[in-house]
Amino acid sequence: MFNALLLEKQDDRTTASVQSIDEARLVEGDVLVRVDYSTLNYKDALAITGKIPVVRTFPMVPGIDFAGIVEESGHVQYKPGDRVVLNGWGAGETHWGGLAQKARVLGDHLIPLPASLTTRQAMALGTAGYTAMLCVQALERHGARPDDGDVLVTGANGGVGSFAIAILARLGYRVVASTGRASEEARLRELGAADVIDRSTLSAPGKPLAKERWAAAVDCVGSHTLANVCASLRYGGAVAACGLAQGMDLPATVAPFILRGVTLLGVDSVYVPRERRLDAWASIADELPAETIEHVASEIALGEAVDVASRLLQGEVKGRVIVDVNR
Ligand code: NDP
């Protein structure tokens, strides 16, 4: 038996509770992992609260990521005792995910944990840290360089935003953080932001083109914010778009693309190929010092996840939430 947060559907309503589950119910996958830590991502909060139908089949163990130790393996690349991490691939959406003491998954979906990271640090980073690195790598593949000018990060106090600031600053970029929480300015500057702006300057409907301001951007917010970011990118600039915290819509015009050669780079962390994952995790391990990783994270027990999920959707949680599934 193992403990898991289980989501069930009752009369069109999602219920969530910690339950003791028989290991025999873990059927999919060729690797059994003893989970040390999972996390609470925005998508997990949507799944747990049932606010948006993230979960495709019930009952479901949510948790789009986890880090732990291989217990049993039928996969050639893994043996008992190996330290592994998983992000996405439908975990917590189409098959049981990481908010549990055990997970059975496809070995092809696992990544060996870089030697310098503990399983706790891996989940302090979680899908947010890894997505932030995918965004930065997308910008750099596009040709972004630190001396091009300011890089904007929206949703700055969130998990992706916080790590994007830290990674960009470590790489030498001058980072401007956009946030709705001015009270967190000192924290954002500690992470590496050179400047902090109020997100309301970007969140209302704007003009097709605005003053050229940003050499590049990481957008966690979508909607009018992303439209305004596109409108205020400098000629040839690019935005790595990964989020929808303001909304899934994109009320933009083609003007920035056809008049300023701006590029919109979509970033998906769930089904991104394995090579890119390995590269992102290796770069994270190289770039981010342990203090920064810890600085961004707080820890909760499995039983607290439901309450914290609601607060996360209210925008009341800052940084990353690690879930210790064993307490
Ligand atoms: P968090 O909830 O930790 O952070 C989101 C941040 O967005 C908040 O902290 C807040 O920042 C800002 N925000 C919230 N509501 C609004 C609003 N109405 N208008 C403008 N800004 C708002 O989420 P994550 O950092 O984990 O994820 C960020 C986004 O990226 C989410 O939409 C998530 O679903 C998405 N995501 C996508 C992935 C992918 O594969 N593409 C992977 C991981 C995440 P502040 O308080 O500073 O204003």
Side-chain angles (χ1 to χ4, degrees), residues 40-46 64 126-132 134-135 153-163 165 177-182 184 187-188 197-200 202-203 219-223 225 241-247 266-272 311-321:
L40 211 54
N41 294 282
Y42 194 83
K43 198 187 251 180
D44 299 321
L46 292 174
I64 63 168
T127 296
Y130 146 75
T131 302
L134 291 175
C135 288
V153 175
T154 64
N157 270 300
V160 179
S162 296
F163 280 119
I165 292 168
S178 166
T179 182
R181 285 181 268 182
E184 297 297 328
R187 177 182 166 277
L188 295 172
I197 61 171
D198 192 314
R199 77 183 190 200
S200 64
L202 291 163
S203 59
D219 179 62
C220 305
V221 170
S223 192
T225 299
C242 70
L244 43 58
Q246 184 181 2
V267 173
D268 163 62
S269 68
V270 180
Y271 294 109
V272 71
R311 293 203 286 114
L312 196 145
L313 294 186
Q314 308 296 325
E316 291 168 10
V317 174
K318 58 175 190 273
R320 299 279 304 137
V321 180

Side-chain angles (χ1 to χ4, degrees), residues 11 21 25-26 31 50 60 66 69 75 94 98 103 144-145 161 163 213 228 250 253 266-268 301 309:
D11 304 330
I21 294 176
R25 289 181 71 186
L26 290 172
V31 180
M60 175 60 67
F66 63 77
I69 313 292
H75 190 280
T94 55
R145 296 290 172 265
F163 280 119
R213 177 78 179 82
N228 288 325
L250 180 52
T253 75
V267 173
D268 163 62

